[in-house]
Amino acid sequence: MKVAAALSALGLIVSAQVAAAAAVAAVHPADWPHVTPALPADPRLEARIAALLARMTPAEKVGQLIQADIGSITPDDLSHYPLGSVLNGGNVAPNDDKLASPREWLALADRFYAASTARAGRGVIPVMWATDAVHGHNNIPGATLFPHNIGLGAARDPALVRRIGAITALEVRVTGLDWTFAPTLAVVRDARWGRTYESYSGNPRLVAAYAAAMVEGLQGRPGRPEFLDAAHVVATAKHFLGDGGTGGHDEGDNSASEAELREVDAAGHIAAIAAGVQTMMASFSSWRGVKMHGNRALLTDVLRGRFGFDGVLIGDWNGHEQLPGCRAASCAAAIDAGVDVLMAPSEWRELFDNTLAQVQRGEISATRLDEAVGRVLRVKLRAHLDAEGPPSVRRFAGHFELLGSPVHRALARQAVRESLVLLKNRGSLLPLSPRMRVLVAGEGADNVRQQCGGWTIDWQGTMPSADIRPAESIYAGIRAAVTAAGGSAQLSPSGEFSVRPDVAFVVFGEQPYAEGAGDVPSLALHDQQDLALMRHLKAEGIAVVAVLLSGRPLWIDAELAAADAFIAAWLPGAEGGGVADVVFRAVDGSLSHDFRGRLPLPWPRAPAGDGAPATPRFPFGYGLRYGK
Ligand code: BGC
Ligand code: BGC
């Protein structure tokens, strides 16, 4: 309204629509809360930053603001282009080999480090390497793979999430990397969004509790010696702001009111900042038509002015190119709006040259440049990068036995157990005696790839199960449990059997996806085969336990009706044995583990809709127990 009035006062003719858009997108920073800083002001640290800045050339400064992908930069490139950080995108690994060994990752980290510190003289600050360790150190063969976030949301266990963060950090440290692009703090409202499984929940309080726990697990608690020590890594709260409210469209538009944006979308970010998160990532999405990478009011006035965030705001993968007037290779507007580091996977060279020219021409002010570089230096010094030495000499580096160690896998298995949500249990079919003859059917029965979903070795989760190790499929876990007790297990994805089983599991659901590739127009599951199989088994008089593998709640009324018991298992990751732990009694007949998962989102009673249907099939928080 104010904008429209001002424009008409100036005699400008604008369409009502444009004026309305400008008016509704206004941000009122004074309405946003102040966040108590996690770390007190540190004059010694600030003096060191100022001293470093004073010694750096404009090119060295610009280098700190650009992040390249290891798929298109070599360590040698750093001698001409002193970039401050690199990442490995979801499809990229050392030596162009997705199955490169952890040793190769560490060796490449050493080479980048050496190149970044070889530059003679002033302003030598080691490079940082960031990775998407989003359900464990998931790009690394051999690492522990935890359930994706949506399953952790079902577990309602912040202490578990904190331990997962700590173990993930340790495994990242084994390979010499410094930084993870996690946690995702999207508050998902529409499960048709392909990133639903990266969100903990549609409930802002749950997301906030987990944000603090995961950030502290990854980084250590601020103010204690453990903070960013050799067992911890820099975390990233992503994606700021509003990614979970885009109506099910990845990188889409969030049309929430400013109050909803603040109270729902920002809840996790506020908690992460209070917990000391050192970096945040701008969202690909827009708010009321304005792309977040260019939203100065939110990225600067709110994030800095109200939340007091003093770390690094990084852009997303070429996210800056979506701003009007920008390209992947040039975007002063994003830096001006408040993005400190531009993620420029492949066009980093041109971006470096263009950004340096913009600095020299004053299009990026010296003040803004020093502010952004200062934030990068602050994070690097807090992370002890100046003192730690090469990646391979750091305390846990090269301890490859820690990757997927028995202790770490046991925690992942516990997380699987806790994340399972029991939606139906007709006649108390579960828990079962482990002495039974069990059939394990369905496409997902012995399918580690399907259990793990996207962001597993590669971006979309395309690797064959055999390449995801160590791992246990759901079938393998069931077989181990029943054979130990004197029962038997038969694997048959198609459901045919030679020996008539006492009970049949049908494991089915979604195939892996990531980001926009996982956007769907409706929540229907197009899997007639496994439904037919359940009906067939029922007709034979065999009790059916359905296990759904999915990154989101789905409209599965027909399967619910066909099955005697129904478990939403989300994307449990590599430790499928967690399912057997809960569905079978111990050999002596006692209960080993009860279900404890509760829905992190409402479950739909119709295929489409806005993800939070007025009358859900099952409400948020639903989940059956044996104990009740
Ligand atoms: C995703 C981010 C991720 C980045 C680097 C982007 O496409 O949106 O969440 O951290 O890629 O892989
Ligand atoms: C990369 C991901 C990234 C995505 C962005 C992929 O090629 O591997 O890390 O998130 O592109 O579109």
Side-chain angles (χ1 to χ4, degrees), residues 89-91 132 317 455 459 515:
N91 283 330
D132 291 283
W317 184 274
W455 297 108
W459 185 39
E515 301 188 43

Side-chain angles (χ1 to χ4, degrees), residues 106 109-111 113-114 117 176 385 387-395 397:
L106 182 57
D110 264 354
R111 290 182 54 217
Y113 177 93
T117 53
L385 233 75
E388 279 198 305
S392 62
V393 309
R394 300 173 192 167
R395 178 147 170 234

Side-chain angles (χ1 to χ4, degrees), residues 67 69 87-91 130-134 139 180-182 184 195 198 236 238-239 243 250-251 281-284 314-318 343 455 459 515:
Q67 180 173 87
D69 187 298
L87 87 150
N88 62 284
N91 283 330
T131 191
D132 291 283
V134 299
N139 281 292
T180 175
F181 290 142
T184 295
R195 304 192 81 158
E198 297 187 61
T236 304
K238 73 185 188 185
H239 307 83
D243 53 352
D250 193 42
E251 307 189 10
M281 188 184 291
S283 182
F284 273 129
I314 184 166
D316 204 340
W317 184 274
N318 279 331
M343 193 191 294
W455 297 108
W459 185 39
E515 301 188 43

Side-chain angles (χ1 to χ4, degrees), residues 302-589:
V302 169
L303 184 59
R304 309 295 177 171
R306 303 298 293 183
F307 295 172
F309 177 61
D310 67 0
V312 169
L313 177 67
I314 184 166
D316 204 340
W317 184 274
N318 279 331
H320 54 275
E321 78 180 335
Q322 299 187 21
L323 296 190
C326 284
R327 298 179 282 131
S330 172
C331 190
I335 294 176
D336 188 53
V339 177
D340 301 308
V341 175
L342 300 177
M343 193 191 294
S346 51
E347 288 174 61
W348 51 270
R349 208 183 299 261
E350 299 82 348
L351 183 64
F352 177 92
D353 292 338
N354 290 330
T355 307
L356 185 56
Q358 285 155 350
V359 164
Q360 280 155 349
R361 291 196 298 266
E363 287 165 39
I364 294 169
S365 73
T367 316
R368 176 68 188 110
L369 178 68
D370 280 5
E371 177 185 64
V373 178
R375 290 170 181 158
V376 175
L377 299 177
R378 188 176 294 123
V379 171
K380 288 187 170 184
L381 293 175
R382 281 180 179 154
H384 312 293
L385 233 75
D386 57 321
E388 279 198 305
S392 62
V393 309
R394 300 173 192 167
R395 178 147 170 234
F396 294 102
H399 285 269
F400 300 117
E401 73 283 359
L402 289 173
L403 296 172
S405 73
V407 171
H408 295 185
R409 292 184 66 192
L411 184 70
R413 183 168 176 149
Q414 178 190 339
V416 174
R417 280 198 298 271
E418 293 192 15
S419 69
L420 304 172
V421 181
L422 183 62
L423 294 178
K424 177 179 181 180
N425 193 17
R426 182 170 20 220
S428 296
L429 174 64
L430 303 179
L432 299 163
S433 157
R435 298 182 207 276
M436 287 183 155
R437 278 188 309 257
V438 181
L439 178 73
V440 191
E443 196 176 4
D446 192 31
N447 195 332
V448 170
R449 173 177 163 274
Q450 195 177 354
Q451 277 169 219
C452 286
W455 297 108
T456 301
I457 312 290
D458 73 4
W459 185 39
Q460 295 289 331
T462 68
M463 302 302 280
S465 292
D467 287 336
I468 306 170
R469 276 180 299 200
E472 190 173 32
S473 71
I474 290 173
Y475 159 70
I478 290 174
R479 182 189 55 201
V482 297
T483 52
S488 67
Q490 230 183 122
L491 171 67
S492 170
S494 68
E496 285 148 32
F497 51 83
S498 42
V499 185
R500 186 187 160 85
D502 302 318
V503 65
F505 285 78
V506 177
V507 188
F508 70 112
E510 292 184 313
Q511 294 303 320
Y513 53 79
E515 301 188 43
D519 285 3
V520 288
S522 105
L523 294 175
L525 178 69
H526 304 283
D527 178 1
Q528 293 311 313
Q529 220 174 316
D530 288 315
L531 175 59
L533 172 57
M534 285 180 216
R535 288 179 171 154
H536 172 74
L537 290 164
K538 283 290 296 174
E540 298 266 320
I542 297 164
V544 171
V545 181
V547 180
L548 177 68
L549 297 173
S550 70
R552 52 187 140 214
L554 290 169
W555 179 61
I556 36 76
D557 279 7
E559 289 84 353
L560 260 175
D564 297 286
F566 198 106
I567 299 166
W570 314 105
L571 297 173
E575 303 306 331
V579 173
D581 289 346
V582 184
V583 296
F584 293 109
R585 290 184 179 277
V587 185
D588 66 5

